[in-house]
Amino acid sequence: MQLDGENTFTSMGPQPFAGPAPVFFVGTYDSHDRPNIMAAAMAGLCCTQPPCVALSVNKTTWTHSAIEQRGAFTLSIPSSEMAGKLDFCGLASGRSESKFYALGLTPAVGEHVDAPYIRECPMVIELLVRQAFSLGAYTQFVGEIMDVKIRSDCLMRDGMPDPAQLDALTFFPLVGEYYKTGVFAARAFAIGKTILRVEST
């Protein structure tokens, strides 16, 4: 029964959709020691102790074989102005093109893992592969976070990351569009307490 003014839902069936999703440059070294980057949206935090990120990579990609060989990767988080560069990395293959060179980006040597990251990005995560699971056409690599690096101009006075300065991209699957983050909505683990107080009265 539908109430007056109640929204209805339209079923879209099983789709690869859980948006908006974070997007990353995935950094690896290939079998010839060449730095490579790939665009990825199928990734996210999956554990806090130890801190881990799960990344799903198509088995046919150049990056997939590089992660298998090296057991490591980085995630460089792009700012909104890097949307074109990120999109290019989702279209071009490292098999035939140096994406770092084509985009004028600087490959930096990871301090804790055998993988490069993008010096121009405001935030970088270095990861070691701890688990790998076959999921249809993809492999999900669970990487343990060895280090998080944040550019100094993207930190607040208390040393924590400043979301507004990071200006990170997100991706909206199915629609196929990028969106900016950084607009404050509410303080986590605090806004919900106002509801708890109301319920307890």
Side-chain angles (χ1 to χ4, degrees):
M1 177 179 179
Q2 181 179 342
L3 301 176
D4 290 342
E6 183 181 1
N7 289 328
T8 60
F9 290 90
T10 299
S11 174
M12 303 188 73
Q15 299 281 353
F17 180 78
V23 289
F24 305 97
F25 291 102
V26 181
T28 56
Y29 289 119
D30 66 18
S31 57
H32 304 289
D33 296 328
R34 295 176 300 193
N36 183 52
I37 41 177
M38 179 192 81
M42 295 186 185
L45 288 168
C46 63
C47 186
T48 58
Q49 295 180 343
C52 293
V53 171
L55 168 70
S56 292
V57 181
N58 193 294
K59 295 173 183 176
T60 64
T61 63
W62 197 239
T63 292
H64 185 278
S65 59
I67 294 176
E68 281 192 322
Q69 291 166 12
R70 301 292 179 123
F73 60 96
T74 65
L75 297 176
S76 296
I77 297 176
S79 60
S80 63
E81 66 181 12
M82 301 180 77
K85 290 178 168 59
L86 180 84
D87 204 56
F88 172 86
C89 287
L91 299 171
S93 172
R95 284 187 176 89
S96 56
E97 186 160 13
S98 170
K99 288 183 263 188
F100 272 103
Y101 178 79
L103 296 173
L105 296 173
T106 309
V109 177
E111 295 181 75
H112 304 273
V113 302
D114 187 18
Y117 63 89
I118 300 174
R119 190 173 296 280
E120 289 79 5
C121 283
M123 180 174 169
V124 175
I125 307 170
E126 298 187 24
L127 304 106
L128 284 177
V129 175
R130 296 305 191 195
Q131 298 283 341
F133 307 94
S134 178
L135 295 170
Y138 285 72
T139 296
Q140 184 174 80
F141 297 100
V142 176
E144 181 178 351
I145 297 174
M146 297 289 103
D147 192 29
V148 174
K149 305 179 193 306
I150 300 177
R151 210 170 59 204
S152 58
D153 63 337
C154 295
L155 296 174
M156 296 186 285
R157 291 181 178 179
D158 62 1
M160 290 292 102
D162 184 340
Q165 293 301 317
L166 287 172
D167 188 30
L169 275 178
T170 61
F171 175 67
F172 221 89
L174 297 189
V175 178
E177 295 177 343
Y178 299 106
Y179 286 86
K180 298 171 63 171
T181 63
V183 179
F184 178 79
R187 173 70 65 179
F189 312 113
I191 186 67
K193 291 180 180 178
T194 61
I195 301 173
L196 288 175
R197 284 196 292 271
V198 170
E199 289 182 344
S200 63
T201 59

